[in-house]
Amino acid sequence: MRIGAVLIVIWLVLGVIAAYERGYFSDSEDASCAEAGTVIVTTLAGPLNWMGVNPKVNCDVPEPSK
């Protein structure tokens, strides 16, 4: 059980490093649903990011009707 938990933590840390390398934590843009989603899926992809996986999320928020 401990080895599995350690592997999951290492996987997620590598995902955070990949998101940092791509500049997803910079304050140059406004935060949005798509940006937050991209950071989350990049983190979950972990080391797959260095194998060519480049996850992106698009959020289309509906406008309220009048």
Side-chain angles (χ1 to χ4, degrees):
M1 180 68 177
R2 286 186 182 175
I3 291 180
V6 169
L7 289 176
I8 289 173
V9 169
I10 291 171
W11 183 277
L12 293 175
V13 167
L14 290 173
V16 169
I17 292 169
Y20 176 76
E21 285 180 344
R22 292 183 178 169
Y24 293 156
F25 296 118
S26 66
D27 289 334
S28 62
E29 299 177 12
D30 292 333
S32 67
C33 171
E35 186 176 344
T38 299
V39 170
I40 290 168
V41 296
T42 299
T43 301
L44 293 176
L48 296 176
N49 289 289
W50 290 289
M51 298 173 128
V53 176
N54 189 13
K56 298 278 185 185
V57 174
N58 293 323
C59 294
D60 295 321
V61 179
E63 295 293 324
S65 59
K66 293 182 179 183

